[in-house]
Amino acid sequence: MILVETRMEAYDEEIVDTDGEFAFETDHLALRGNKDYCKLLKHIVKLEAQKQQVLKDIEELCEAKNKALDDPLSFCEALKLDSLKFPPHQEISEMPDIDWSKYGIDISLENNSQKGKDFPDPEVLVRGRIFTDDKPETFNQLWSCEEQKRLEELLEIYPEEIVESRRYKKIAKALGTRTTQQVMSRIQKYYMKLAKAGLPIPGRAPRGITKNKNKKIFYKKTTFFPRLHVPVKMENPDDSCGESQDIPYETPSGNKNMLELLKAAKAQRLLDESVPVYQTRTTCVGCQKTGFLGARWTDNAGTDYCTDCLVRLLPTEKLIPLRESS
Ligand SMILES: [Zn+2]
């Protein structure tokens, strides 16, 4: 018994030397003496050594960086004199040439992974967009209710400037959670929302909002909302704030109703283009015309508007469009 154990220990610690190549004593027997296996082992050992060197180099560079930051003038002097010493470039050792088909490994797959060498890290996606180290922490993160609210305040605190980016920079700094770029992009989207809702924009309308006859009719600016400062809901589809971001309107649901009304008016107008109807017996309370084109907007109590007057006057009564004559 004792004999066997001693024999086993001796075997375990045996240094395997096959054809002058080295291997680990714990290796599977089938691998011993395999040339490709030996090549790979050597490669791994080499990479390990290179990795250790890289870690040392990083440490050295960090120290050099701190030193340079402490005394930038001396650093510049040394740079001029070319007396700075940095760790030399390391050529990472190439994979050994192995015929993988012998082991039933698909070489085409192998080649694909080689192509990926330029991208050592797998792509990190934030809400479907690629995140990289140079991106800010809040990259592609939804704006919180607080951030939007603060942004609106800051837009009033920091007036427009000749160089807009300076304004965005100040706002970003005051906001504290977003980069200038993010603030700029957010403001542009916010302006776009305001423009689409026909609200006054603090600044010129961003490009992309085309001048269009219909829009002029349906997006009248001044008559839309009695109050100048009306919060606009910014769409954050899966935002946790959800409806709470929809800051209550000054006139409860009034703006929303107006927009609904305008949308409905537009739909009626489109309908009129293909299927015109005339209100032969109805008189519009706005223009006093009888026999006007399109739907009559009625409260079913004797008040009827034509579509033109509906858009022009934006009556507050609850009206429904009827294409049939009264
Ligand atoms: Zn009318």
Side-chain angles (χ1 to χ4, degrees), residues 33 53 57 66 74 91 94 146 207 218 233 252 274 279 287 304 314:
Q53 187 58 48
D57 291 352
N66 289 336
S74 299
E91 202 67 59
E94 284 286 320
E146 287 73 29
R207 270 171 237 164
F218 295 114
K233 182 181 165 69
S274 49
Q279 303 297 333
C287 58
D304 296 283
L314 292 166

Side-chain angles (χ1 to χ4, degrees), residues 23-201:
F24 295 111
E25 70 270 24
T26 46
D27 287 342
H28 198 284
L29 276 174
L31 287 170
R32 287 190 186 166
N34 180 306
K35 296 268 186 218
D36 292 331
Y37 177 65
C38 289
K39 271 193 228 169
L40 280 177
L41 277 185
K42 272 186 182 174
H43 184 60
I44 290 168
V45 168
K46 208 169 166 187
L47 285 177
E48 267 301 326
Q50 289 191 314
K51 183 180 148 193
Q52 292 308 319
Q53 187 58 48
V54 165
L55 292 173
K56 264 191 214 165
D57 291 352
I58 289 172
E59 224 169 278
E60 203 176 305
L61 285 169
C62 277
E63 272 174 40
K65 181 186 161 192
N66 289 336
K67 217 174 131 189
L69 288 173
D70 282 345
D71 187 2
L73 286 179
S74 299
F75 174 78
C76 289
E77 276 305 311
L79 199 64
K80 268 191 225 162
L81 296 168
D82 203 17
S83 68
L84 286 170
K85 280 200 182 92
F86 293 124
H89 176 78
Q90 232 191 136
E91 202 67 59
I92 300 303
S93 100
E94 284 286 320
M95 266 288 285
D97 196 20
I98 290 167
D99 177 11
W100 290 103
S101 61
K102 274 202 295 193
Y103 306 99
I105 291 167
D106 191 343
I107 296 157
S108 62
L109 284 173
E110 199 64 23
N111 287 341
N112 282 340
S113 72
Q114 284 281 314
K115 268 184 212 160
K117 264 197 333 195
D118 296 335
F119 307 98
D121 293 319
E123 282 173 358
V124 180
L125 294 179
V126 177
R127 305 198 319 120
R129 283 174 61 193
I130 299 162
F131 179 83
T132 49
D133 285 345
D134 57 325
K135 297 267 166 48
E137 229 171 272
T138 47
F139 169 72
N140 211 24
Q141 296 285 313
L142 295 169
W143 281 58
S144 69
C145 317
E146 287 73 29
E147 280 179 308
Q148 175 63 25
K149 208 174 152 218
R150 185 80 187 119
L151 179 73
E152 286 172 36
E153 286 168 6
L154 290 167
L155 277 168
E156 285 183 17
I157 294 167
Y158 295 99
E160 286 193 81
E161 295 192 35
I162 298 163
V163 181
E164 278 285 84
S165 64
R166 286 195 195 139
R167 183 190 186 202
Y168 300 146
K169 204 173 170 184
K170 284 174 196 165
I171 291 171
K173 204 182 165 194
L175 196 64
T177 52
R178 299 282 170 168
T179 65
T180 307
Q181 189 64 39
Q182 287 176 311
V183 163
M184 194 176 73
S185 147
R186 182 68 174 188
I187 290 172
Q188 275 170 3
K189 282 179 198 154
Y190 177 55
Y191 282 9
M192 207 86 90
K193 281 266 159 190
L194 289 170
K196 278 187 182 165
L199 287 167
I201 298 164

